[in-house]
Amino acid sequence: MTQNIASNPLPDPAITEGLRLLGKRRLALAIHDRCFPGLSAEDVGRGSPYSRGARQFVAFVRSLGFDTIQLGPMGQTPRDDPSPYNGTVFSRNVLNLDLASLTGEGGSSDVSGGLLHADTLERLVGECPCDDGARSVHGYAFDACHMALDAIHQNFKAARARGDPGALKLDAELDHFAGRNGDWLAPDALYHALSGHHGERHHRHWPVTDAVCPDAALYRHIGQRPDPCTSRRSALFDTYRDELERYRLGQFLVHRQHAAFHAETKGLGLRLYGDLQVGLSACDEWSRGGMHLSGYRMGAPPSRTNRDGQPWGYGVYDPDQCLDGDGAPGPVLRFMLARIEKMLGEFDGLRIDHPHGLVCPWVYRGDDPDPSHAVQHGARLFSSPHLADHPDLGRFAIAGVEQLNQAVPRYADEWVRWLRPDQVGRYALLLDTVVSVVREHGGSSEDIPCEVLSTLPYPVASAIRRQGLGRFRVTQKADLFNRDDVYRSENAEARDWIMVGTHDTPPIWHLAREWVEEGERARQEADYLAARLVPAGEREAFARELAGNRNKLVHAKLADVFASPAEQVMVFFADLLGQEQTYNRAGFVDLENWTLRVPRDYATSFPRAVARGDALNLHCVLALALRARGDDFARLHGDLIGRLREQSGWWCGE
């Protein structure tokens, strides 16, 4: 269906050997689907991992030494909300369709290759206000991809009506796909049809069209016998027959393109990780609304990095529906199992987004007219046995009053002081489910990046340690005056994932520029890094060199990551490429959020930037990290360090 990415682009053996000597088991590039570069003749305003431009970039990434690609959530998002963390968890985003391959000119050789006319794609590309492709244009890309899907569907129907053999074969494959995925595909398709009928509004704002089974509550009684909405759903399936087929066709095509991409990345020796987002989309909440706890929403509590908390507005799984009365999986656990099984059929591992939401979510009242006030006065779902302002949570408590430290705020990590092993097991039910399915699919703890950031409550710490999982160590957030700070690299453990930044932080290149311009922070960072990377007699001169040079400071900061005990390293694509623009300002509504992309000219601009120290020079970073192991180690592996320095072509701290 798609042409091969490339023929085995292997990294420099010196890079591979350096990573091995440093004990690094994974080197992952984090990039979301929309951020991939696109060829100018195929770009409709948004990246896609399935395009020719993206496949070339993936081969380039492999040649640098990365062995893993960490993608973000890849679900369907609405036009007015580009956040991937609000997308569907089963349906894939049709904005990822590689439209060029569907014209027959993007490398496709099967029957889907003639579904889109080349002049249609040419028009959509020509009208795109995407300039140089450095930013995605979500609104235009959304409209363009859906116009293309309309045309694809009409062409498919016309070909089928005239008995075209290719269309008939595709029709049979589409029926097979719909039959295997009907549990999620049918409700997702109906939701999007109804959403269009109701002006693309959230289902909470749909008008009441039926007194017994309003459109907003068609799946609220799923699992009940009898289900009063069965006949109305059947009638709506018939009413929206054409819209549902269009939706199924889009999902079939994008799932098939993902399967081809996954096979190609495996052929390159790359693991592909998905993102198990903590929240559910409006579509998923609608189709699974009966398994959510009434009256509460999930968010993030106040923390050191966000003192106001974040009222995400996500539904909260009803604890009473995790297990049935006989201990068998209930609706919530069955949903989680289906979701994880599907992901692990499509990825080699998965990132757990905000594992607190699986173990002991921070919840707040949904009826408070001020969500910010509500989230700041929320509580832990399973750790609130006696709160006067949340009396309804008492029956879900796992920790007892005697196990709490009431001298600290209820959101503090130390709120729960101790737990019995059986209590840890109750907290860890959903997390244990994720890990067990990953292991059943042949994965290990290294294949489960666990996004624990500034807060780690005792129940969450107990649950992840029970499964041998680590946490994230984001070194740009380190408190240089607190030796026990969780973000300092020397405090990392082997099981952890370490990085200078994430998709929610400013790129390290931007921060380092600010630090050097301000002066004092650069000197503090330089002193810390000198103590981490070079012998005592060299530290003063080394620190002075770092403090006055942004590029050297960044590379020392990255070397500190590779010199840490953590065996898994993750690099966000902006930190690889030397970009200074922020991808997402967490907690802010910003038109620039979620729009940053890999520039189209990366293949020529990146090597030049590396030579100047303006982008990640991995040879330099590894040479610095290996030298940090001490004089005896440096003498033993002097040849390798010398080769890395030579290949760097730039400063290596010598």
Side-chain angles (χ1 to χ4, degrees):
M1 178 175 175
T2 53
Q3 68 182 40
N4 289 333
I5 294 177
S7 57
N8 218 16
L10 295 176
D12 180 353
I15 294 287
T16 304
E17 180 63 6
L19 291 169
R20 186 189 69 79
L21 288 175
L22 289 166
K24 304 310 172 198
R25 298 170 63 88
R26 301 284 189 274
L27 176 56
L29 181 78
I31 181 170
H32 288 181
D33 47 11
R34 68 197 65 202
C35 305
F36 282 97
L39 302 183
S40 58
E42 302 174 359
D43 199 330
V44 294
R46 183 188 190 279
S48 163
Y50 316 136
S51 69
R52 285 190 293 183
R55 298 199 302 274
Q56 291 170 8
F57 179 70
V58 166
F60 165 78
V61 166
R62 178 67 182 120
S63 73
L64 296 179
F66 289 88
D67 57 32
T68 303
I69 300 288
Q70 171 67 71
L71 296 170
M74 301 181 74
Q76 189 68 56
T77 54
R79 192 184 192 281
D80 62 354
D81 183 4
S83 171
Y85 289 91
N86 294 333
T88 51
V89 301
F90 288 104
S91 288
R92 288 197 167 280
N93 200 335
V94 293
L95 273 61
N96 275 328
L97 280 170
D98 174 26
L99 298 177
S101 71
L102 299 176
T103 68
E105 298 184 13
S108 176
S109 59
D110 66 12
V111 293
S112 69
L115 288 176
L116 182 66
H117 296 154
D119 58 349
T120 302
L121 177 59
E122 183 178 355
R123 176 176 59 81
L124 294 174
V125 171
E127 294 175 357
C128 178
C130 52
D131 300 324
D132 59 357
R135 292 271 183 181
S136 60
V137 190
H138 177 71
Y140 180 83
F142 185 95
D143 294 341
C145 289
H146 280 280
M147 283 190 281
L149 185 55
D150 286 340
I152 289 166
H153 184 217
Q154 293 303 319
N155 293 337
F156 166 66
K157 290 194 298 180
R160 182 177 58 189
R162 63 176 179 264
D164 181 272
L168 296 177
K169 180 176 184 293
L170 186 60
D171 192 37
E173 293 175 355
L174 179 58
D175 283 345
H176 181 66
F177 172 80
R180 287 190 294 109
N181 297 283
D183 287 349
W184 61 266
L185 185 56
D188 282 16
L190 182 57
Y191 178 87
H192 284 86
L194 289 171
S195 179
H197 176 73
H198 293 301
E200 305 296 342
R201 288 178 291 175
H202 194 288
H203 62 270
R204 295 175 200 152
H205 307 299
W206 291 355
V208 176
T209 52
D210 184 285
V212 177
C213 293
D215 289 354
L218 284 174
Y219 281 84
R220 186 171 296 168
H221 306 287
I222 283 289
Q224 296 181 11
R225 296 291 183 269
D227 179 344
C229 297
T230 299
S231 59
R232 175 154 171 77
R233 286 197 302 272
S234 296
L236 289 171
F237 284 140
D238 188 61
T239 299
Y240 293 106
R241 183 185 303 273
D242 195 56
E243 291 92 332
L244 301 186
E245 181 181 75
R246 174 192 180 277
Y247 192 91
R248 288 195 299 270
L249 178 61
Q251 288 301 310
F252 169 72
L253 293 173
V254 76
H255 274 79
R256 189 162 60 166
Q257 289 185 357
H258 179 85
F261 176 70
H262 187 199
E264 292 170 10
T265 55
K266 277 191 173 182
L268 290 174
L270 280 165
R271 298 175 186 82
L272 196 64
Y273 287 176
D275 195 320
L276 188 73
Q277 70 211 59
V278 68
L280 299 186
S281 69
C283 171
D284 296 299
E285 190 175 317
W286 175 80
S287 64
R288 312 277 177 165
M291 69 179 189
H292 288 101
L293 185 63
S294 176
Y296 276 93
R297 294 279 156 188
M298 177 171 57
S303 69
R304 91 173 220 192
T305 52
N306 193 320
R307 298 185 183 280
D308 296 328
Q310 297 179 55
W312 292 332
Y314 295 137
V316 180
Y317 296 135
D318 182 352
D320 289 337
Q321 298 191 54
C322 286
L323 298 173
D324 288 340
D326 59 0
V332 169
L333 197 52
R334 291 198 298 271
F335 167 79
M336 286 296 297
L337 284 166
R339 181 182 175 189
I340 301 161
E341 287 283 357
K342 181 176 186 291
M343 287 191 71
L344 291 172
E346 301 166 345
F347 298 99
D348 305 303
L350 52 86
R351 169 188 180 272
I352 300 180
D353 173 46
H354 192 69
H356 309 59
L358 298 180
V359 177
C360 191
W362 182 259
V363 301
Y364 61 94
R365 292 189 177 280
D367 58 359
D368 189 322
D370 182 355
S372 294
H373 173 272
V375 78
Q376 290 164 23
H377 294 83
R380 299 279 184 199
L381 178 61
F382 298 121
S383 304
S384 304
H386 68 312
L387 299 180
D389 55 339
H390 293 284
D392 294 340
L393 299 184
R395 69 189 188 90
F396 302 127
I398 296 173
V401 176
E402 72 283 1
Q403 295 172 296
L404 305 181
N405 177 7
Q406 299 183 61
V408 300
R410 63 181 72 161
Y411 57 78
D413 286 359
E414 303 81 13
W415 175 250
V416 175
R417 297 181 297 117
W418 61 275
L419 293 168
R420 300 186 308 272
D422 65 294
Q423 291 176 304
V424 174
R426 291 169 62 194
Y427 273 107
L429 175 63
L430 296 182
L431 184 68
D432 285 355
T433 299
V434 174
V435 176
S436 65
V437 177
V438 170
R439 288 178 174 151
E440 287 169 7
H441 281 256
S444 64
S445 58
E446 291 88 359
D447 299 314
I448 312 174
C450 199
E451 192 222 22
V452 173
L453 295 172
S454 56
T455 62
L456 184 56
Y458 186 81
V460 180
S462 301
I464 66 171
R465 190 165 293 275
R466 153 192 175 102
Q467 290 291 356
L469 303 179
R471 60 172 297 162
F472 278 22
R473 308 279 182 171
V474 187
T475 62
Q476 67 167 255
K477 298 182 178 183
D479 182 346
L480 303 181
F481 300 100
N482 178 5
R483 291 185 179 276
D484 297 324
D485 185 74
V486 297
Y487 290 133
R488 288 170 67 121
S489 64
E490 67 267 33
N491 293 328
E493 299 180 10
R495 68 185 75 191
D496 293 333
W497 282 80
I498 192 166
M499 59 216 71
V500 292
T502 71
H503 67 264
D504 285 331
T505 64
I508 191 62
W509 302 92
H510 174 81
L511 284 179
R513 183 180 298 281
E514 289 188 340
W515 294 344
V516 170
E517 290 173 354
E518 184 271 336
E520 184 59 27
R521 177 61 187 268
R523 286 188 289 274
Q524 293 167 358
E525 289 281 349
D527 288 342
Y528 169 77
L529 293 168
R532 291 279 296 142
L533 297 174
V534 299
E538 302 175 20
R539 288 174 188 168
E540 184 177 348
F542 187 78
R544 190 164 51 248
E545 195 169 12
L546 299 186
N549 187 300
R550 179 201 71 153
N551 292 0
K552 293 178 181 179
L553 185 61
V554 168
H555 280 82
K557 194 75 175 169
L558 284 157
D560 177 50
V561 162
F562 283 88
S564 76
E567 294 179 349
Q568 290 74 227
V569 176
M570 190 177 294
V571 180
F572 189 57
F573 80 91
D575 290 326
L576 167 69
L577 299 174
Q579 295 176 295
E580 293 198 43
Q581 304 94 331
T582 297
Y583 175 60
N584 177 51
R585 296 176 66 215
F588 290 86
V589 176
D590 188 330
L591 293 178
E592 293 291 292
N593 277 3
W594 314 111
T595 65
L596 187 67
R597 294 177 66 182
V598 174
R600 286 191 192 132
D601 68 349
Y602 70 89
T604 55
S605 63
F606 179 77
R608 292 195 298 265
V610 168
R612 299 189 305 268
D614 282 328
L616 172 56
N617 186 321
L618 192 55
H619 289 88
C620 161
V621 164
L622 294 184
L624 287 169
L626 289 166
R627 181 65 184 84
R629 293 293 176 95
D631 290 339
D632 291 343
F633 185 93
R635 281 191 292 270
L636 181 62
H637 300 288
D639 288 346
L640 174 61
I641 295 174
R643 279 190 288 142
L644 288 166
R645 286 174 170 170
E646 182 180 355
Q647 290 297 317
S648 164
W650 185 63
W651 170 85
C652 287
E654 62 274 28

